Amino acid sequence: MHVLARVGESLQAIIYSVASILLYPVLAFLVLGLVLAMYEAGGFTLEAIRRRRANRGFDLDATATKLAGPSADATLSQVLLQLKARPAMARAQTSLGDATDLSRTRTLKALADAEIEVTRRLEHTRVLVRIGPMLGLMGTLIPISPALVGLAQGDVDTLANNLVIAFSTTVVGLLIAGVAYMITSVRTRLYQQDIVDLEYLLDRAEV
């Protein structure tokens, strides 16, 4: 029994040490996550402004009509370049080049590349949506142990300092997740519409 008790105490000490060591990396990742969330928010705002300017006066059906038929009034490359503020369109334009080859295989490849591009863009904030609460929870639970020890020993300063860290990390983690979730939700809707519009333009350009 004494051996088992010692083993149990050793395991508890190891777990406590690991959790204590993880506190500062968790705090560092929370700060990094907050910086990335603010960066993505700024990028999203800039992207929205550029998208609004590019969409001003743009008529999808009229443009698709110009692309259709052998006597097309516009080239697909010109249209996609006009809509380069949309990541899907910019990626498709890169894949098609001068758009002289509009075979079914080439257009499907351009569409697939565009879908991969928007998925890559969405992954940035999707990761933050998941990671933010996880880091916030870790930053909350880790200081609880020393806080309880401080409470048992009557050390009010240790108790207060650890509780401040615990509650602050929760707030920061939720803030990261909230900002990232809002950006992801809006971008998902916009990018889905972009893919639909791109597919429509590719189909009309093949006529």
Side-chain angles (χ1 to χ4, degrees):
M1 293 298 294
H2 293 291
V3 174
L4 291 177
R6 289 180 180 177
V7 171
E9 290 175 358
S10 299
L11 292 176
Q12 291 176 14
I14 292 172
I15 295 298
Y16 179 77
S17 299
V18 171
S20 300
I21 293 172
L22 284 176
L23 177 60
Y24 293 107
V26 166
L27 296 178
F29 279 117
L30 272 173
V31 173
L32 177 61
L34 183 60
V35 171
L36 291 176
M38 295 301 104
Y39 175 80
E40 288 294 333
F44 172 72
T45 303
L46 184 60
E47 180 183 332
I49 294 173
R50 290 175 175 172
R51 177 186 292 268
R52 186 177 183 84
R53 290 176 180 173
N55 290 342
R56 190 175 299 162
F58 177 76
D59 189 325
L60 180 65
D61 290 327
T63 302
T65 301
K66 293 179 181 180
L67 291 173
S71 58
D73 295 329
T75 66
L76 181 60
S77 181
Q78 292 173 343
V79 173
L80 296 180
L81 188 60
Q82 178 186 353
L83 298 174
K84 63 181 181 179
R86 304 187 190 185
M89 305 296 184
R91 186 65 184 86
Q93 198 272 337
T94 301
S95 297
L96 290 173
D98 57 4
T100 54
D101 180 9
L102 292 179
S103 63
R104 188 63 179 170
T105 302
R106 188 67 181 272
T107 55
L108 287 176
K109 176 66 167 59
L111 183 61
D113 288 344
E115 291 176 345
I116 292 172
E117 174 64 21
V118 298
T119 300
R120 184 186 68 82
R121 293 265 185 135
L122 290 172
E123 282 176 352
H124 296 170
T125 48
R126 281 176 176 167
V127 169
L128 292 177
V129 171
R130 300 288 187 180
I131 294 297
M134 290 171 56
L135 292 174
L137 182 60
M138 290 176 67
T140 300
L141 296 179
I142 292 174
I144 292 297
S145 295
L148 293 176
V149 172
L151 177 62
Q153 296 176 350
D155 188 347
V156 179
D157 289 338
T158 300
L159 174 64
N161 291 335
N162 282 283
L163 288 181
V164 167
I165 294 174
F167 293 133
S168 298
T169 52
T170 302
V171 173
V172 173
L174 292 176
L175 176 62
I176 293 171
V179 172
Y181 178 77
M182 180 193 68
I183 296 172
T184 302
S185 298
V186 178
R187 273 182 172 169
T188 299
R189 175 178 56 81
L190 293 175
Y191 290 171
Q192 286 176 347
Q193 185 63 55
D194 290 347
I195 294 297
V196 172
D197 291 348
L198 176 61
E199 188 172 7
Y200 179 55
L201 291 173
L202 291 174
D203 285 341
R204 295 301 299 271
E206 289 180 14
V207 176

